Amino acid sequence: MDISLSFPDPLRVADGTFLIRPLAQAPGAPVAMHLNSMVIQGAEPVIVDTGAALFGEQWAQQVFELVEPEDVRWIFLSHDDSDHTGNLQLALDVCPNATLVTSWFATERMSGEMTIPPHRQRWLADGESLELADRRLVAVRPPTFDSPTTRGLYDSSTGVYWSSDAFGTPVLGLVDHIDEVPPEMLAESAMAFSSMLSPWHTVVDAAKFGRWVDRVAELRPAAMVGAHGPVLSGPSIDVALGRMRRLPDAPLAAMPGQDVLEQLIAMLDAPVPAPV
Ligand SMILES: [Fe+2]
Ligand SMILES: [Fe+2]
């Protein structure tokens, strides 16, 4: 039994800014996860992360309905995990005028899988900016991450902050906005997601960690979107930032163990009832 994958239409999150938002559900899993990426149109179009290779064909179809491949000027890579780099080679191949916005360390970490010509790279560290013709893009590391190369991206033109893996949550099905997730589920699932993403939260100093949260809060994003959840805007951003501040004091999230795997295998091996 394969992962079930749905590919809803891209969601407009701001002027000229669209979320590509495939939703994946593993066999037997009670919840689904987004594997999002983003397209920024405008004077110098940007692809923000490239999704997973598992769905390259559908990803390319949706992205290149929003922007012509020859017009793509930048491909921003938030970090080097495979659900963000999956279609990077594809994008570099079909977008001859695109420069990859990455970092020295991300390039090093990807060197076993792909070679990216230096002249197609631009290294952007946390806190640095990229000046485009119509906007400034600022790399701002989110408070939680699962790769040392992670930087989010703040768009000064629209106020959209791409949070990479941070501020995600599993969902029961497709929703556009995080306000559509039942609050009691969200309180638990968002915290558990953050804990699994960054299990080092149990050893960090809450005050120092809070200063990382401050950096995102000080952007005053109009919308916050990331790779693994619905869109946040308005009061939901403050709620998410407040929840993030409590992460250092939260217990480590429990993960499914061998017992769950055995249940899953039993479910997959169960005979399919004969049609009546
Ligand atoms: Fe990641
Ligand atoms: Fe991710």
Side-chain angles (χ1 to χ4, degrees), residues 79 81 83-84 146-147 165 197 228:
H79 65 299
D81 281 351
D83 55 326
H84 300 251
D146 61 2
S147 163
D165 285 343
L197 183 73
H228 303 302

Side-chain angles (χ1 to χ4, degrees), residues 218-234:
E218 285 160 8
L219 296 173
R220 304 184 65 80
M224 205 155 66
V225 288
H228 303 302
V231 175
L232 292 86
S233 64

